[in-house]
Amino acid sequence: MRKRSRAPVGQAGCEAQGPGAARLPQLEVAVMTVMSIARFERFFRAAAGLNVDKNDLKRYSDFVDSKLYDLLTVAQATAKANGRDIIRTPDLPITKGLQESIHHFRKIDHDVELKPILEQLATHPALDRTPDEETEAAYPDIVGGLSLALAQSFKILHPDLKNPQTQHWDEARAVFDLLL
């Protein structure tokens, strides 16, 4: 897995090219292709019967970044408490519900094929402890499980919802912030 900054997807970061050099923007993440947007939309329809569109991608990406960061922050503390310089998969605070969502995501992903896109999105922030390869390899499934739980939370909060709006995203995020 490659590391990237905590800046939102699609925004450029700046990096100096040498002493006294001008700071030039660098593209952080490749623009999501039309096929990727279609898979994203298909996933939310399959997961919870929701109609999302490309405008929801930023909210989704911010959610994924935030929740993965939260999980890794706790995992980092666990690794430190156990005297390790690396984060291992068992350090991640994966609850029973999230584990079930991960398993369900794998079944849905067989048809939707969202995992390759999640591999691009599921990168970790700079941490004091480095995740091992097994942990990094688990990111797409973890993000997939979080994504499935997010989609289903919309329906729990608003059973008749078809097209989530900003208010719905904010409510679902608030629930996750309480629990993760």
Side-chain angles (χ1 to χ4, degrees):
M1 279 295 136
R2 62 190 157 72
K3 295 179 186 177
R4 70 174 163 93
S5 70
R6 299 292 309 149
V9 171
Q11 289 187 357
C14 293
E15 181 177 5
Q17 301 298 315
R23 296 176 61 85
L24 302 172
Q26 290 186 330
L27 188 59
E28 167 187 302
V29 176
V31 177
M32 192 171 269
T33 65
V34 173
M35 176 163 307
S36 299
I37 294 168
R39 286 183 186 174
F40 167 76
E41 292 169 344
R42 195 167 59 228
F43 170 76
F44 273 83
R45 275 193 303 275
L50 295 171
N51 295 320
V52 294
D53 57 34
K54 64 182 179 182
N55 296 325
D56 291 316
L57 283 174
K58 168 102 173 73
R59 290 185 200 113
Y60 171 72
S61 178
D62 288 348
F63 171 83
V64 166
D65 281 351
S66 175
K67 293 303 111 194
L68 185 58
Y69 179 77
D70 290 348
L71 291 171
L72 287 168
T73 299
V74 173
Q76 181 174 260
T78 301
K80 183 178 181 178
N82 288 320
R84 283 186 275 104
D85 289 335
I86 61 167
I87 296 172
R88 296 179 48 213
T89 307
D91 296 330
L92 293 165
I94 305 295
T95 63
K96 177 182 176 275
L98 181 53
Q99 186 65 48
E100 289 172 359
S101 292
I102 290 168
H103 290 303
H104 191 208
F105 163 75
R106 289 177 182 148
K107 292 175 187 174
I108 291 175
D109 191 50
H110 181 71
D111 296 328
V112 178
E113 298 177 359
L114 191 65
K115 193 170 180 176
I117 297 163
L118 294 181
E119 288 173 351
Q120 295 172 7
L121 290 176
T123 56
H124 63 81
L127 301 166
D128 292 338
R129 306 270 188 277
T130 304
D132 64 14
E133 288 181 23
E134 177 185 333
T135 303
E136 287 184 339
Y139 290 175
D141 283 335
I142 293 168
V143 169
L146 287 168
S147 301
L148 181 72
L150 172 66
Q152 292 176 341
S153 71
F154 286 126
K155 287 302 218 176
I156 291 168
L157 295 170
H158 302 279
D160 297 328
L161 184 66
K162 293 294 180 197
N163 187 5
Q165 301 300 309
T166 302
Q167 169 195 349
H168 304 118
W169 282 91
D170 291 346
E171 289 172 358
R173 178 126 184 202
V175 170
F176 277 84
D177 286 345
L178 282 173
L179 300 173
L180 293 180

